[in-house]
Amino acid sequence: AGAGQGSPASGAGQRPPASAQRTPEPGSHGPETGSIRINSGKVSVMGAENRSTSATKDPSAPLPKREGKSATPAVPRGRKTAEAKPAARARPAAKAGKQRKAVTPSSAESKSRTIVAFPESPRRKLRRRLWIGGVTAVVLFIALLAVLVFSPVLAIQTVSVSGTDLTRKEALVEALQPLKGKPLPQVTDQDVKALLTNFPAVDDVAVEAKPPSELGVRVVEHVPVAVLKTGKKFALINADGKRLATVGKRGDAELPLIDGSTAGEDPEIFRTLTAVLAALPQDVLAKLEHASAKTVDSVELQLTNGKKVIWGNADQLELKARVFEALLKAKQPEGGIQVYDVSTPTRPVTR
């Protein structure tokens, strides 16, 4: 018996090696139920569902799957994964009663048959036509304006001048020659006036376009109120004392005469004389021969028939002018009137 314990040939009572395992028989699909697998000191019992229960747990081994639950790996509490969000946001299935009905060709055809096309209302049609017509008119107007302003079709070829008495028309036409070639709509009153600054009698101008190529210029001149005698020359002056033009003889202008020495000696007296004469109408000025003054308060006028007018100062010019005009038109008393005193217009005196 002692010799039998140490004999290697004896297989009774000896444990099979650790690496030994049952080999499945040919034709079988895996370990049989209840078979034992011995591997590296681990004993596993194979069940009916090929699940192994390890005697020694391996921390690195994956958790076994459970039947009846999702195969999604467990997520630690408090964390959310990208795969879990869509499931959380998934809406519950609609109830059977609220599910949309599928649109079949027959139902779509029946709906199309129920659509009725109503004719456009007359008011809406009129509004649309007016809108289209308005837009078209604006576009045509802009195009026409562009043609008129920038096209050489309306270029100036001739210039005509009217309204001049103190200035020669030929001289004005010659001064306006630089305007030739410019389109008529581009020429303004300021453009014409800028070319006539060398003519003192011209006060203002008005431009008139005469298509296709003529520019009309109407001149407004200063109104002369007196004739200023300087030596042997006679000049027409306005209310500001500005010299407008010259005349060859005293009789060429039916205006009162002012001695030029007065203007040179005392400009204030000269301004007073011109202001008094400017207040009188043209028909009255034509009856005056001379105007003089020694001071600003002693203005005197002399008529062409030799009668005298005591005017006084430059106060109440309009009232004095109306009173003096009324006295001239009034019936003359016997013996006539030699002196008209309107220095106090509310109490005029004649003698």
Side-chain angles (χ1 to χ4, degrees):
Q5 291 178 354
S7 176
S10 176
Q14 291 184 357
R15 184 175 298 178
S19 58
Q21 63 180 10
R22 291 186 182 178
T23 304
E25 297 181 358
S28 62
H29 297 284
E32 297 180 358
T33 304
S35 62
I36 300 173
R37 177 183 296 177
I38 301 173
N39 186 12
S40 299
K42 298 179 181 180
V43 180
S44 300
V45 179
M46 305 304 295
E49 298 177 357
N50 291 337
R51 291 185 302 174
S52 65
T53 304
S54 177
T56 305
K57 294 184 178 179
D58 187 358
S60 62
L63 294 176
K65 297 182 181 180
R66 298 182 182 179
E67 294 184 359
K69 292 188 178 181
S70 174
T72 305
V75 181
R77 183 176 300 177
R79 296 185 182 178
K80 294 181 179 180
T81 61
E83 293 79 7
K85 287 182 180 179
R89 294 182 180 177
R91 297 182 179 178
K95 295 182 180 180
K98 296 184 178 180
Q99 291 182 352
R100 296 182 178 179
K101 296 182 179 180
V103 179
T104 60
S106 59
S107 60
E109 185 179 356
S110 61
K111 289 184 179 180
S112 62
R113 292 177 180 175
T114 58
I115 297 175
V116 179
F118 292 97
E120 188 177 7
S121 63
R123 181 179 298 179
R124 186 175 180 181
K125 186 182 299 183
L126 178 62
R127 190 185 303 115
R128 179 166 53 84
R129 290 179 178 176
L130 291 177
W131 186 84
I132 296 174
V135 173
T136 305
V138 170
V139 173
L140 292 177
F141 175 77
I142 294 175
L144 179 61
L145 185 63
V147 170
L148 294 178
V149 173
F150 301 104
S151 175
V153 176
L154 299 178
I156 298 174
Q157 296 180 5
T158 58
V159 178
S160 60
V161 178
S162 61
T164 59
D165 290 327
L166 307 177
T167 309
R168 293 187 306 110
K169 292 182 180 181
E170 295 78 5
L172 296 178
V173 172
E174 184 67 24
L176 297 176
Q177 290 302 308
L179 296 177
K180 286 188 175 182
K182 294 185 65 175
L184 282 172
Q186 294 186 14
V187 179
T188 62
D189 296 348
Q190 289 74 17
D191 297 334
V192 174
K193 193 173 182 179
L195 296 174
L196 302 180
T197 54
N198 294 329
F199 298 88
V202 177
D203 182 22
D204 200 359
V205 295
V207 175
E208 180 183 1
K210 299 179 179 180
S213 60
E214 182 180 353
L215 176 68
V217 179
R218 184 171 58 86
V219 177
V220 179
E221 295 181 326
H222 292 281
V223 179
V225 296
V227 178
L228 181 66
K229 182 180 179 182
T230 306
K232 293 183 180 181
K233 296 181 179 180
F234 299 93
L236 302 178
I237 61 174
N238 64 352
D240 298 328
K242 182 179 180 179
R243 301 189 183 193
L244 307 178
T246 59
V247 291
K249 296 184 296 183
R250 166 69 182 90
D252 292 341
E254 296 181 351
L255 294 171
L257 180 67
I258 298 177
D259 192 354
S261 60
T262 304
E265 293 174 359
D266 193 337
E268 187 175 359
I269 293 178
F270 179 73
R271 287 193 296 270
T272 302
L273 286 174
T274 55
V276 170
L277 296 175
L280 296 171
Q282 287 293 324
D283 58 340
V284 176
L285 287 176
K287 297 177 181 180
L288 297 178
E289 176 65 28
H290 186 74
S292 62
K294 295 180 179 180
T295 65
V296 293
D297 296 325
S298 60
V299 176
E300 292 184 359
L301 307 176
Q302 185 178 352
L303 299 176
T304 54
N305 55 10
K307 296 180 181 181
K308 183 180 180 180
V309 180
I310 300 175
W311 192 274
N313 55 26
D315 295 339
Q316 298 179 309
L317 290 176
E318 294 182 0
L319 180 58
K320 290 179 180 181
R322 290 198 301 268
V323 172
F324 178 50
E325 186 178 7
L327 292 176
L328 289 177
K329 294 179 179 180
K331 185 178 179 180
Q332 300 291 321
E334 293 182 3
I337 298 175
Q338 299 300 319
V339 177
Y340 296 92
D341 188 351
V342 292
S343 57
T344 305
T346 56
R347 295 190 299 271
V349 178
T350 58
R351 53 182 183 270

